[in-house]
Amino acid sequence: MSNNSSGEMSFLDHLEVLRWHLVRAFAGVFIFAVLAFIFKGFVFDTVILAPSDPDFFTNRLLCWLSTELDMPLLCINQEPLSFQNIKMSGQFTTHIWVSFVAGIVVAFPYVFWEFWRFIKPALYSKEVKHSRGAIFFTSILFTVGILFAYYIICPLSVHFLGTYQVSEKVENIVNLGSYIGTITSIVLAGGIIFELPIFIYFLAKVGIVSSEFLRKYRKHSIVLALILAAVITPPDVISQLLVCIPLIILYESGIVIARRIEAKRAKQMANN
């Protein structure tokens, strides 16, 4: 039985309820975006520009590893990048855009919770219980994905793209907007990619994918992970493994999740 005890709602009533959930979700994003706009020193110097700095945690760690393992290629981002702004309003518009993205990232758990509150009345009591767990794991995976992208992929990508040259005659002076666009894209992509087990859960739940299908294309997923790691990391095995292994683990987790859903479905069919 549905949790909605207020009776059937019309289509317009549903739209009105959805509208207020969207308003509250946007308000959450707006509040965090305003805070990010106010504290621009922290957002830009401490967060956004940090992966290009030699003192960044990952850069210092990899340089220490390069000494311990005698692998000089691991020591990255030892020369800070030079940034430039070529538009009159470039820094201001970049400030606004980064603040908005920061608002989305920080407010993501709240935004997801608002959407869950919208669909909650249509769920059965048992489904509501499982949905609460989904909210928790979705938020955790999104956060872990962002941290992984920020601390692992961003420094490696900054080093590779910032030092790559087609000729020694061409100097890399990075446009500020281009750099920030790259960092924000990588971070958001990391958060979304780490939602892979959640996506597989829902796809397996509705029968679109199966554990057999995922096992069949396991080799393809490993190849794609290796290609992605090779593109965004320096040409050494350790850096590529740092990126590749978590992606493979996420895929394998999806196979386990799909298998458990199939086993549960088979058990329910047997009981019926």
Side-chain angles (χ1 to χ4, degrees):
M1 183 175 181
S2 172
N3 275 354
N4 189 356
S5 59
S6 58
E8 293 294 328
M9 297 174 62
S10 68
F11 177 72
L12 292 178
D13 290 334
H14 281 295
L15 286 181
E16 179 66 15
V17 172
L18 176 61
R19 183 173 74 89
W20 281 108
H21 283 295
L22 292 174
V23 167
R24 286 190 290 269
F26 181 79
V29 172
F30 179 77
I31 290 171
F32 284 112
V34 170
L35 291 175
F37 189 88
I38 294 172
F39 296 100
K40 68 175 182 178
F42 173 79
V43 171
F44 283 89
D45 295 332
T46 306
V47 179
I48 298 291
L49 300 178
S52 66
D53 195 286
D55 290 330
F56 187 62
F57 172 77
T58 305
N59 298 332
R60 288 188 287 109
L61 176 62
L62 289 176
C63 280
W64 175 79
L65 283 174
S66 73
T67 302
E68 295 294 318
L69 301 175
D70 192 24
M71 298 180 65
L73 284 175
L74 280 178
C75 194
I76 63 174
N77 294 320
Q78 292 309 291
E79 295 294 332
L81 289 177
S82 297
F83 300 102
Q84 66 172 350
N85 172 60
I86 60 175
K87 293 182 178 180
M88 180 68 73
S89 61
Q91 295 199 49
F92 180 68
T93 54
T94 297
H95 188 187
I96 294 176
W97 167 246
V98 168
S99 299
F100 177 69
V101 172
I104 293 175
V105 171
V106 178
F108 175 80
Y110 175 71
V111 172
F112 192 81
W113 182 68
E114 282 291 346
F115 279 102
W116 177 78
R117 288 181 61 202
F118 173 69
I119 66 173
K120 178 183 175 182
L123 300 177
Y124 294 97
S125 300
K126 193 174 182 180
E127 292 174 328
V128 170
K129 182 180 178 180
H130 292 304
S131 297
R132 288 170 181 163
I135 292 174
F136 173 77
F137 286 111
T138 298
S139 300
I140 291 296
L141 287 172
F142 185 77
T143 302
V144 172
I146 284 178
L147 293 176
F148 174 77
Y150 179 71
Y151 281 102
I152 302 298
I153 300 180
C154 282
L156 296 172
S157 299
V158 167
H159 174 74
F160 175 74
L161 297 174
T163 60
Y164 187 84
Q165 289 180 293
V166 295
S167 170
E168 294 183 356
K169 297 180 181 180
V170 182
E171 182 182 0
N172 282 330
I173 301 177
V174 182
N175 178 269
L176 178 64
S178 174
Y179 171 86
I180 291 177
T182 300
I183 294 296
T184 53
S185 298
I186 290 173
V187 168
L188 289 176
I192 294 172
I193 288 173
F194 268 64
E195 298 292 343
L196 180 61
I198 302 296
F199 293 146
I200 292 177
Y201 170 83
F202 285 109
L203 291 176
K205 198 76 173 175
V206 298
I208 296 178
V209 300
S210 64
S211 59
E212 182 181 354
F213 174 86
L214 296 173
R215 286 195 300 269
K216 179 180 178 181
Y217 290 97
R218 175 185 278 139
K219 294 181 180 179
H220 298 76
S221 69
I222 294 175
V223 171
L224 288 175
L226 288 170
I227 292 174
L228 177 62
V231 168
I232 64 176
T233 61
D236 65 88
V237 176
I238 294 180
S239 299
Q240 292 174 7
L241 288 177
L242 286 174
V243 174
C244 186
I245 290 177
L247 298 178
I248 294 175
I249 291 174
L250 288 171
Y251 191 85
E252 293 297 324
S253 300
I255 295 177
V256 174
I257 291 171
R259 189 185 301 126
R260 292 185 61 180
I261 291 174
E262 291 165 359
K264 188 175 181 180
R265 186 183 295 129
K267 183 178 180 181
Q268 290 176 343
M269 292 178 64
N271 292 337
N272 293 335

